[in-house]
Amino acid sequence: MTIAAAVVLILTVTGIAGTQATLRASASTSARSVVLSAGTADLSLTTLSLDTTALYPGLTLVGAVTASNTGNVPLKLGVAGLTMPSGSAANALSQSLVVGVRIVPSASACTASAATPTWSGSAASAPAGTLGTTLPTASSQVLCVSVSLPIAAPAASQGQSASGIRLRISGTQA
């Protein structure tokens, strides 16, 4: 073997053996602490005022309510529930009423002849549901609340009154 071949052989053998190392680096954040704050969901509603016209089968009364997001997170609007009179306060009229809610562009657009409600419920069935809109922070939306007495209402509902009906509008963080 020649000297040149021996040098190549030595360089090849030492190149294969090599060395291994794990490199690490680290750094700290600044000396200032980071503060995280939770948002707030806050929904306010104006008072609902319905026409005082006496209901009869087939008639729908409506009233506008303004929902305002005064928190700092957007809110998905919905209906959390409907409470109808029960026990001795329940009567044929209160058990026959259908309550509905829909979004409208203004209070003047809240009419009985407008589109059907997005959500509706009665004493028999009032599931929680969505109104299909998200209310951005620092904004308001007009809700049209309707109360109807169906055509098929029982004759026993004549001359009765219903009070204590509670519609719960919800705002859930979007």
Side-chain angles (χ1 to χ4, degrees), residues 49-67:
S49 177
L50 288 174
D51 188 350
T52 57
T53 302
L55 273 171
Y56 55 83
L59 181 65
T60 298
L61 301 177
V62 296
V65 172
T66 301

Side-chain angles (χ1 to χ4, degrees), residues 2-116:
T2 66
I3 294 183
V7 170
V8 171
L9 182 62
I10 291 173
L11 287 177
T12 303
V13 172
T14 57
I16 293 174
T19 58
Q20 295 180 353
T22 301
L23 302 177
R24 293 184 184 193
S26 64
S28 299
T29 59
S30 67
R32 294 184 296 158
S33 63
V34 176
V35 177
L36 301 175
S37 299
T40 58
D42 196 7
L43 179 67
S44 64
L45 301 169
T46 59
T47 302
L48 171 65
S49 177
L50 288 174
D51 188 350
T52 57
T53 302
L55 273 171
Y56 55 83
L59 181 65
T60 298
L61 301 177
V62 296
V65 172
T66 301
S68 299
N69 182 353
T70 56
N72 59 16
V73 295
L75 300 173
K76 287 187 264 185
L77 293 180
V79 176
L82 174 67
T83 304
M84 299 299 272
S86 60
S88 62
N91 58 34
L93 176 63
S94 65
Q95 299 304 299
S96 299
L97 295 175
V98 176
V99 177
V101 183
R102 68 180 176 270
I103 304 295
V104 290
S106 66
S108 62
C110 181
T111 64
S113 62
T116 58

